[in-house]
Amino acid sequence: MADTTYSTDTLVTLESLEDLRVSPAAHLAEAMTDASAAGGRRVALRELPFSVQLGLRAEPDSASGRALEDVFGLPLPRRVGEVTGDGAGLHILWLSPDEFLAVDVSRQQQPGETLVAEAGLEGLPGQAVDLSANRTILQLSGSKAREVLEKSCRADLHPRAFGVGTAIVTALGPVPVILHHSSVLEYRVYPRASFADFTVRWLLDGMAEFLDDGESAEVGAGDAGRASAREEDVG
């Protein structure tokens, strides 16, 4: 019979597993940092690795929907583009009439993220699945962020149509993504993990015209103020 005993030296702890984690765009972190430094306040790109992402299935206003709302302490979005909750913490994105994505960018995913939601749905139709490894989140910010996205996104990204707090399923070039306008000068792009490399390189290429030798931090300050005013003035 095989020996199935293990010493404490061979057990892998949760802390050591954290050390082994590699995010989908980790190999491009230096390239994103360098481009962001050259972009100053005009444009910057970074990954938000291992953020909590939970796929939810339930019909709003049903027993299942109300159970999930109780678990998360947030209403489920009711319409296309709607996001409920805190964009800097826990929030829920609308994906389809009975499909949602709960996201928490304030912390990293840990085992057992869906246990409470699954308990709340016990005996009810519905689903809660940990999708944190399914997509990564790329945060594009700065006064030129929207212009970078508009180069290859067919959706109307003008603030009148895509205001702060709106999220849609769209495409960036050939890559299907979720796009969230998370704050005035900030967008979050959700590509599948397998498309992270392509998406980062695509965005870096789109950022190229706004990068310089480091003087953009000073020049971009005025651009950021003007862009912020334009975003708020959607008339």
Side-chain angles (χ1 to χ4, degrees), residues 17-38:
L17 284 175
E18 287 293 323
D19 294 336
L20 294 173
R21 269 183 167 184
V22 179
S23 67
H27 61 295
L28 294 172
E30 184 175 355
M32 288 188 279
T33 298
D34 291 346
S36 299

Side-chain angles (χ1 to χ4, degrees), residues 7-215:
S7 71
T8 55
D9 293 336
T10 61
L11 290 176
V12 180
T13 65
L14 182 60
E15 290 76 14
S16 62
L17 284 175
E18 287 293 323
D19 294 336
L20 294 173
R21 269 183 167 184
V22 179
S23 67
H27 61 295
L28 294 172
E30 184 175 355
M32 288 188 279
T33 298
D34 291 346
S36 299
R41 297 187 183 222
R42 291 175 177 172
V43 65
L45 179 65
R46 69 186 182 108
E47 185 182 23
L48 303 179
F50 315 124
S51 295
V52 177
Q53 299 180 61
L54 307 179
L56 309 177
R57 296 299 298 262
E59 292 186 6
D61 302 317
S62 67
S64 302
R66 289 189 291 272
L68 289 176
E69 290 176 335
D70 288 342
V71 166
F72 291 98
L74 294 173
L76 295 176
R78 268 27 181 209
R79 63 181 186 277
V80 176
E82 185 179 5
V83 178
T84 59
D86 180 6
L90 176 64
H91 49 287
I92 302 177
L93 286 61
W94 189 99
L95 299 182
S96 77
D98 67 347
E99 183 179 7
F100 313 91
L101 186 67
V103 180
D104 192 342
V105 296
S106 68
R107 62 185 184 87
Q108 294 190 346
Q109 178 266 354
Q110 298 294 334
E113 290 286 353
T114 61
L115 291 179
V116 176
E118 289 171 353
L121 286 171
E122 187 173 1
L124 297 171
Q127 189 178 54
V129 180
D130 191 342
L131 298 177
S132 305
N134 188 40
R135 298 182 179 91
T136 193
I137 304 177
L138 305 174
Q139 184 169 286
L140 184 70
S141 59
S143 62
K144 301 297 184 181
R146 176 158 65 98
E147 292 184 38
V148 172
L149 293 172
E150 286 176 331
K151 292 181 179 183
S152 56
C153 181
R154 296 181 180 180
D156 183 359
L157 302 184
H158 190 279
R160 283 194 296 261
F162 192 61
V164 174
T166 304
I168 57 173
V169 177
T170 182
L172 198 62
V175 179
V177 298
I178 298 171
L179 182 61
H180 180 198
H181 192 176
S182 48
S183 66
V184 173
L185 297 180
E186 180 183 284
Y187 298 82
R188 293 180 188 147
V189 182
Y190 293 65
R192 301 280 184 183
S194 57
F195 287 106
D197 179 278
F198 184 96
T199 307
V200 170
R201 295 180 191 277
W202 186 276
L203 289 171
L204 289 173
D205 185 62
M207 292 165 58
E209 69 170 294
F210 304 118
L211 309 185
D212 59 26
D213 59 4
E215 297 177 358

